[in-house]
Amino acid sequence: MVKVAVIGAGNWGKNLVKNFYELGSLSAVVDEDEGRLNKVGKDYKGVHLLTSLNDLWKMAIPAVAIATPAPTHYEITKTALTKGRDVFVEKPFTLNASQAEELVTLAKSSGRIIMVGHLLLYQPAIRWIKDCILKNTLGKLYFLHQERLNLGRARRGENALWSLGVHDVAVFLDLVGRNPQRVEVVGQPVLQKDVEDDVYLHLAFSGGVAAHLHASWLWPGKYRRLTAVFERGMLVYDEIAQTVTLHKKYINSKLENMDEGQQVVFKGNSEPLKLELKHFIECCQSRQRPYSDGESAVGVVKILEEASNKLGVKM
């Protein structure tokens, strides 16, 4: 089993720690906060606890998982690759496309695995919808619409798109299977100057396919829902209920409304994070290309960067 060191044991890093431990791969945890490390030591016996990355690089641990603040991803990933480590890095990969492309090139030249934590790509419901698209089950895909809304935790250093929408952009690119031709975005800063609390992102792809995202942490209800509208029906993935419902509704060539009811066609209760990290371990062992590799993540960062430029956001 490939051994992994987790860098960062904060709000999300602790989930990586737990899952890598349960998978039998956790070797070390690095965090400057000794309180966090003490808790890790109590919960997970036999794990090396380190406060310095320099100490980690002296150890023969072949892979690292990075769950530090986004602005640090580039430098830590670059160092890890230079030190000959395979890397799993949480989203967002980097804060600009040039850094992302540089890391992909470095990983290739050094023969290292680089995988980005686009968690939703490992959600079985998303894979089910992808299969439906590939098999042309409901005919042509017209558009995707994602809602990621809640009265959530407002951030100071990033807007709602960067905080909430990264996974959804990754899903759009995966389901459509190509990069967009046009990116449009509208955002509104309400609570803080220059930090958009409510964002609408629109992507236009070749072949007339479109994708729309509404991301907000300033919303009265919690909605995590993807709607896929096809030629002969509509799929709604409720991320909270973990169901995919087929609405047998469409408008035919005569502009007649067709409605044959609805049914739940997929229901899952899996652990996408564990599936994702297991995939990373398997890629490190087999040297296969990860499903959410660095190249696919570059496409996500390019969209976020272009949207940020149009919003006037300085990253």
Side-chain angles (χ1 to χ4, degrees):
M1 180 65 72
V2 173
K3 293 301 180 181
V4 179
V6 175
I7 303 172
N11 289 334
W12 186 252
K14 64 185 179 184
N15 296 322
L16 301 188
V17 169
K18 176 178 182 292
N19 280 273
F20 276 123
Y21 185 83
E22 291 174 353
L23 288 167
S25 284
L26 184 65
S27 179
V29 177
V30 186
D31 199 297
E32 295 178 348
D33 189 322
E34 292 187 4
R36 290 176 182 168
L37 287 181
N38 290 335
K39 187 173 190 320
V40 169
K42 291 178 181 178
D43 294 340
Y44 308 104
K45 304 300 181 183
V47 176
H48 297 285
L49 306 176
L50 309 171
T51 56
S52 168
L53 281 173
N54 289 330
D55 292 334
L56 172 62
W57 305 136
K58 297 174 185 177
M59 302 178 70
I61 301 174
V64 300
I66 300 168
T68 55
T72 68
H73 287 183
Y74 166 71
E75 288 294 346
I76 297 176
T77 300
K78 184 177 180 179
T79 302
L81 292 171
T82 303
K83 298 289 185 181
R85 302 325 203 265
D86 293 323
V87 177
F88 173 92
V89 56
E90 272 301 343
K91 64 84 178 172
F93 184 17
T94 62
L95 297 183
N96 65 65
S98 62
Q99 289 180 342
E101 290 171 336
E102 179 187 340
L103 293 177
V104 169
T105 300
L106 178 57
K108 285 182 178 180
S109 64
S110 59
R112 296 296 94 198
I113 296 292
I114 189 164
M115 176 171 159
V116 181
H118 291 152
L119 181 65
L120 281 183
L121 298 185
Y122 299 88
Q123 185 61 261
I126 294 296
R127 305 299 282 266
W128 190 92
I129 294 171
K130 174 76 170 181
D131 190 56
C132 181
I133 293 172
L134 292 175
K135 291 180 178 177
N136 201 34
T137 305
L138 297 172
K140 180 182 177 181
L141 173 65
Y142 288 151
F143 62 86
L144 302 166
H145 186 277
Q146 173 71 47
E147 298 169 287
R148 191 161 297 279
L149 312 169
N150 194 17
L151 185 62
R153 183 162 67 95
R155 306 293 185 107
R156 294 188 183 277
E158 59 186 14
N159 62 23
L161 178 60
W162 279 91
S163 179
L164 304 175
V166 179
H167 290 309
D168 301 310
V169 173
V171 167
F172 287 162
L173 297 188
D174 183 62
L175 293 182
V176 177
R178 53 192 180 274
N179 292 320
Q181 295 178 317
R182 190 174 75 254
V183 176
E184 298 175 0
V185 64
V186 177
Q188 182 181 7
V190 178
L191 305 175
Q192 307 166 82
K193 182 182 178 182
D194 299 328
V195 178
E196 290 80 10
D197 308 281
D198 192 74
V199 178
Y200 293 83
L201 177 72
H202 305 282
L203 307 178
F205 298 85
S206 61
V209 181
H212 318 292
L213 167 65
H214 182 196
S216 178
W217 53 51
L218 192 60
W219 204 258
K222 186 174 184 178
Y223 301 96
R224 295 178 179 175
R225 183 167 51 204
L226 172 67
T227 300
V229 177
F230 296 85
E231 186 180 7
R232 298 190 300 272
M234 307 173 188
L235 294 174
V236 177
Y237 167 43
D238 187 324
E239 196 177 321
I240 298 172
Q242 278 304 310
T243 58
V244 178
T245 301
L246 169 61
H247 296 262
K248 302 174 185 178
K249 301 178 179 180
Y250 60 97
I251 299 176
N252 65 20
S253 59
K254 298 179 181 179
L255 299 186
E256 298 170 329
N257 287 24
M258 310 300 290
D259 187 348
E260 300 171 6
Q262 65 187 60
Q263 68 181 105
V264 174
V265 290
F266 182 91
K267 188 171 180 64
N269 190 29
S270 64
E271 300 177 82
L273 180 57
K274 186 155 288 182
L275 293 174
E276 180 182 49
L277 300 185
K278 183 179 179 182
H279 179 62
F280 174 64
I281 293 168
E282 290 170 348
C283 290
C284 292
Q285 291 172 324
S286 67
R287 314 313 294 170
Q288 72 188 73
R289 181 176 177 174
Y291 193 71
S292 55
D293 66 348
E295 287 189 44
S296 65
V298 168
V300 175
V301 174
K302 283 183 175 179
I303 291 171
L304 295 171
E305 185 176 27
E306 183 174 347
S308 296
N309 289 337
K310 291 186 174 182
L311 288 170
V313 176
K314 295 181 179 180
M315 302 302 297

